[in-house]
Amino acid sequence: MREIFSCGLGRPASPADAIIKDTCPRKIPPLLWAALPLAYVLYFHDLGGVGLLGKDEPRYASVARGNGTVGRLVTPRLWGQPWFEKPALTYWMGATGFRLGLSPDLAPRLPVALMAVAFLAFYWWILAREFGCRAAWMATLILGTSGMWLGYSQVGA
């Protein structure tokens, strides 16, 4: 009997799963080749082209820049005072961007955009495992092109 692998995730599917779910080929699907340029344009193109917006984004960028230049990673500080408004990982990723020499507009935004795209890959993987490839692609495409998802993946807040 031929083993059926659901979406190439490495675990054999039961025959009942094969009836309910479609299976993905082991090669890279053509839809992914179309999705990669779309993801670049939507998430990364001219990411640092606009200055920091509002009052929150410059504040969080300042905390991350302070963590990156001074090297304080345990306690984030804003104007010398402890600042625990966001999770520390948000500040650490922004501080890494500043330490790598990214521009002040790009350093706080790039980690957020990378995490948004990484979550979309994780989201696809979970959905493909549970519901099949077609449902995973459609749901990921819907989430990845939603206005609020795109908007919040473009700001460093």
Side-chain angles (χ1 to χ4, degrees):
M1 183 174 167
R2 193 178 118 231
E3 279 191 3
I4 300 170
F5 288 91
S6 60
C7 294
L9 298 175
R11 71 174 176 85
S14 70
D17 286 343
I19 295 169
I20 296 170
K21 296 189 271 187
D22 58 339
T23 58
C24 290
R26 287 199 172 265
K27 65 180 184 169
I28 297 174
L31 186 59
L32 182 61
W33 292 116
L36 289 177
L38 179 66
Y40 170 75
V41 169
L42 290 177
Y43 290 94
F44 300 110
H45 179 70
D46 204 23
L47 189 59
V50 178
L52 299 175
L53 303 171
K55 59 182 181 179
D56 291 333
E57 194 174 18
R59 182 182 314 135
Y60 300 136
S62 175
V63 173
R65 183 176 42 247
N67 283 357
T69 56
V70 178
R72 287 175 300 194
L73 295 178
V74 176
T75 304
R77 294 185 179 272
L78 180 66
W79 299 303
Q81 299 298 319
W83 189 262
F84 297 109
E85 192 167 309
K86 291 284 182 186
L89 181 61
T90 305
Y91 299 128
W92 295 343
M93 291 187 307
T96 303
F98 281 109
R99 290 192 76 119
L100 291 174
L102 297 177
S103 72
D105 297 332
L106 185 61
R109 289 181 180 162
L110 184 61
V112 176
L114 288 172
M115 289 291 108
V117 172
F119 178 80
L120 287 174
F122 173 74
Y123 183 67
W124 177 88
W125 179 71
I126 291 293
L127 289 176
R129 192 178 67 176
E130 295 297 324
F131 301 108
C133 283
R134 184 176 174 88
W137 279 115
M138 292 301 146
T140 304
L141 187 63
I142 289 169
L143 177 63
T145 57
S146 297
M148 293 298 283
W149 183 265
L150 282 168
Y152 280 109
S153 71
Q154 302 286 318
V155 295

